[in-house]
Amino acid sequence: MRPAPAIWRWLGTLGALVVGVVIGLTGAFVQSQRVLLEAPWGSVTFPWGVPVVWISLVVAVRGGAWAVGSRWGAWAVLVGWLAATVLLSAESPSGDVAVSGGARQLVYLIGGVILASAAASLPLPRPSAAATAGRNAEPTA
């Protein structure tokens, strides 16, 4: 006996939430990574961690929507990422903070929310008429 499709959607949404939490946990530490390049006029800092986390977040948000088959999967990834990021930006009892209050971290948080919200708001692609007709066709014996 196969479980109902609604159960798979709930499990997919829960999985998307877990993916968002994992991206939030790893992103809190990766977003601070940068490379210092020496140039003739001085040194230039390129924060490569922020774009890497943003790209992975947007891909996971769209993947969550496609995996679940609804925008609930996308929003679950975003909620998981946001919960983990906000939790790691709060001061721990020992005084440690993973996501500090600097300008780069603020851009990381606000930019991530804007990009992931935009990606979650995009509609899912509709199946073509030929694909829909093929699924609804009666099997021949």
Side-chain angles (χ1 to χ4, degrees), residues 42-134:
S43 59
V44 178
T45 303
F46 177 69
W48 62 267
V50 173
V52 166
V53 177
W54 280 350
I55 290 169
S56 63
L57 178 62
V58 169
V59 167
V61 165
R62 291 309 299 163
W66 290 330
V68 174
S70 106
R71 291 182 186 159
W72 282 105
W75 289 107
V77 173
L78 176 58
V79 166
W81 173 79
L82 193 57
T85 303
V86 168
L87 180 71
L88 288 172
S89 67
E91 191 172 308
S92 70
S94 64
D96 296 332
V97 176
V99 180
S100 64
R104 184 176 58 242
Q105 289 79 12
L106 194 59
V107 167
Y108 163 70
L109 181 62
I110 293 173
V113 168
I114 291 170
L115 289 172
S117 296
S121 297
L122 292 173
L124 291 170
R126 293 184 179 193
S128 66
T132 306

Side-chain angles (χ1 to χ4, degrees), residues 17 19 26 45:
L17 184 71
V19 167
T26 57
T45 303

